[in-house]
Amino acid sequence: MTNRVVEEPEKKPMITRLQKLRTSAAKERFDALLVSHPENRRYLSGFTGSSGWLLVSKQKAILATDFRYVEQAKGESPDFEIVQTKGELHDWLPGLISDSGWNRLGFEANCISYDSHHKLTEAIETKHVHLELIPTTGLVEELRAIKEPGELDSITRAVALADAALEQAKAIIRPGITEKEAAWEIEKFLRQEGSEGIAFEVIVASGPNSALPHARPAERTIQSGEPVLIDMGARFNGYCSDLSRTLFFGQTDNTLRRIYDIVLRAQTAAIEGVEAGMDAAQADRLARRTIEQAGYGDAFGHGLGHGVGLAVHESPRLGFNSSDSLADGMVFTIEPGIYLVGQGGIRIEDMVVLENGKARVLTKAKKDLSF
Ligand code: ZN
């Protein structure tokens, strides 16, 4: 990509995002929040480096990173005060906080190791800093779940790259080539067309391997008459896409053809029925009901879908035991599947955005049964 406008880090949204975080944090018990989750860090600050921490209070926004990233941070995160760190979190944090006036520090409980927490607690005690550590979850993730127009643009570009890669895959994949070769062709195409690497390892699973929902491409040669499950995603401006299709060469086994129709019906029911305000568990039911009625309930062993954004798996989570609820602006996958051990599996996955209460399908890839 050579379009400077698109590549430039979005600066204005950062202020809005910080404001939103401060508003939702106002009801929390802490004076400042320590952000350690990489995608949360990028989302709030625009900083794309692989190491750094944010400290956000009502008045302050600090980005702490080591000498490798200081200059980059200054360029990417103009709304943040950049602090250069040395050593591990417990080496510099108590000193940085000691004269901030903060007594309670929120931290992301799902993104700090037991070891870091332990060392930090010890350092706080040793250095006689009055600081209580308060665990939090999901504060930034909740904001990230609702996409801004600029984010949706980037996601749409990532979806289009995956759609194009699927077309390319259909042209290249034929009986005789291995799953690994096919996966590499898809990855190569994505990178050539401008994807920032790949969103996750490409899955090409043929024959019985397709019954493993997260199969790894093997040396197995793709054969005629078998299902080939392809699952892959691109990345654009940091935003991911996620696309699955199952295709057949030549004569298709009757059971698998029937299963394909069931999965497609389940997916269509979910796309048409999903609504803003609905519980994510209820959305899962829309597809699961169809699959259960067809007698394959036990063979649909994963959730209906997941949010996609800076991470390929993020909020909301659509599953039978999810407590999330759906809202306009959310982008997520709808990907029911049926997996028959020893025979093969079918998964069909689209990405949608909730707009005006209903799902608009972002994925354009066709749902043909054959190559
Ligand atoms: Zn997915």
Side-chain angles (χ1 to χ4, degrees):
M1 270 306 297
T2 50
N3 188 338
R4 292 278 315 156
V5 182
V6 179
E7 294 250 320
E8 195 102 40
E10 295 175 51
K11 291 194 177 103
K12 267 210 214 99
M14 303 308 160
I15 297 276
T16 322
R17 292 173 192 174
L18 277 174
Q19 278 163 354
K20 281 186 184 160
L21 176 64
R22 283 171 174 141
T23 306
S24 64
K27 52 184 184 293
E28 301 288 332
R29 282 180 57 233
F30 54 75
D31 304 311
L33 177 67
L34 174 72
V35 176
S36 49
H37 189 286
E39 277 91 25
N40 291 349
R41 180 176 68 219
R42 177 171 181 164
Y43 178 78
L44 291 172
S45 69
F47 175 60
T48 62
S50 63
S51 177
W53 307 77
L54 306 182
L55 284 156
V56 181
S57 73
K58 256 189 211 117
Q59 273 86 32
K60 287 198 151 198
I62 296 170
L63 166 49
T65 188
D66 65 75
F67 80 102
R68 293 171 298 171
Y69 294 111
V70 168
E71 285 312 307
Q72 182 185 339
K74 284 178 187 165
E76 290 180 335
S77 308
D79 304 316
F80 281 72
E81 177 190 335
I82 311 300
V83 170
Q84 185 172 330
T85 61
K86 215 171 172 192
E88 291 179 60
L89 183 67
H90 64 274
D91 295 317
W92 55 265
L93 189 68
L96 182 68
I97 282 187
S98 59
D99 46 25
S100 62
W102 301 335
N103 293 319
R104 287 177 300 265
L105 182 68
F107 70 93
E108 297 178 303
N110 57 4
C111 203
I112 288 218
S113 69
Y114 179 80
D115 188 50
S116 300
H117 185 274
H118 181 66
K119 285 180 179 158
L120 186 57
T121 310
E122 275 189 339
I124 288 168
E125 272 172 34
T126 317
K127 291 175 182 163
H128 302 292
V129 180
H130 180 66
L131 190 67
E132 194 188 336
L133 297 174
I134 316 264
T136 70
T137 49
L139 281 173
V140 187
E141 286 84 348
E142 218 169 83
L143 303 179
R144 278 172 46 204
I146 310 286
K147 267 64 182 181
E148 297 156 3
E151 295 183 282
L152 189 56
D153 285 348
S154 298
I155 290 170
T156 305
R157 298 289 297 264
V159 169
L161 281 167
D163 284 343
L166 187 84
E167 278 308 304
Q168 177 75 359
K170 283 157 93 172
I172 284 169
I173 296 177
R174 63 199 171 278
I177 81 164
T178 67
E179 293 172 358
K180 267 189 179 169
E181 285 165 344
W184 171 238
E185 290 296 338
I186 292 170
E187 176 167 348
K188 210 163 64 178
F189 179 85
L190 284 170
R191 288 176 182 268
Q192 277 165 353
E193 294 304 305
S195 175
E196 296 147 10
I198 44 177
F200 54 93
E201 291 296 318
V202 175
I203 296 172
V204 175
S206 63
N209 286 355
S210 61
L212 311 167
H214 276 183
R216 304 191 76 189
E219 295 296 352
R220 189 178 193 281
T221 303
I222 293 167
Q223 287 156 40
S224 192
E226 288 186 337
V228 182
L229 197 157
I230 300 168
D231 187 350
M232 44 96 168
R235 201 181 274 275
F236 189 82
N237 274 343
Y239 287 84
C240 301
S241 59
D242 194 358
L243 167 68
S244 300
R245 288 289 183 267
T246 312
L247 296 144
F248 293 86
F249 281 110
Q251 207 52 34
T252 316
D253 173 283
N254 267 343
T255 313
L256 291 171
R257 177 180 285 270
R258 209 158 46 78
I259 285 173
Y260 190 97
D261 290 336
I262 298 163
V263 174
L264 186 57
R265 268 196 291 122
Q267 200 214 20
T268 308
I271 290 171
E272 287 174 358
V274 76
E275 278 175 3
M278 186 179 261
D279 290 338
Q282 206 184 332
D284 179 90
R285 287 284 328 141
L286 294 169
R288 197 166 301 277
R289 196 184 306 141
T290 308
I291 291 175
E292 281 173 357
Q293 280 166 359
Y296 290 101
D298 292 340
F300 176 22
H302 56 75
L304 178 65
H306 52 87
V308 183
L310 287 171
V312 73
H313 290 114
E314 57 179 56
S315 289
R317 194 172 60 79
L318 290 80
F320 65 91
N321 59 353
S322 172
S323 54
D324 294 339
S325 58
L326 303 177
D328 270 344
M330 285 183 169
V331 172
F332 51 87
T333 66
I334 295 189
E335 49 176 314
I338 294 178
Y339 310 91
L340 302 181
V341 179
Q343 290 184 61
I346 309 286
R347 178 165 67 252
I348 309 171
E349 175 182 33
D350 284 340
M351 278 177 61
V352 306
V353 57
L354 276 185
E355 276 174 357
N356 304 315
K358 297 293 285 176
R360 174 166 69 84
V361 181
L362 299 171
T363 305
K364 304 267 189 288
K366 290 195 201 88
K367 293 173 193 172
D368 304 338
L369 198 61
S370 53
F371 277 88

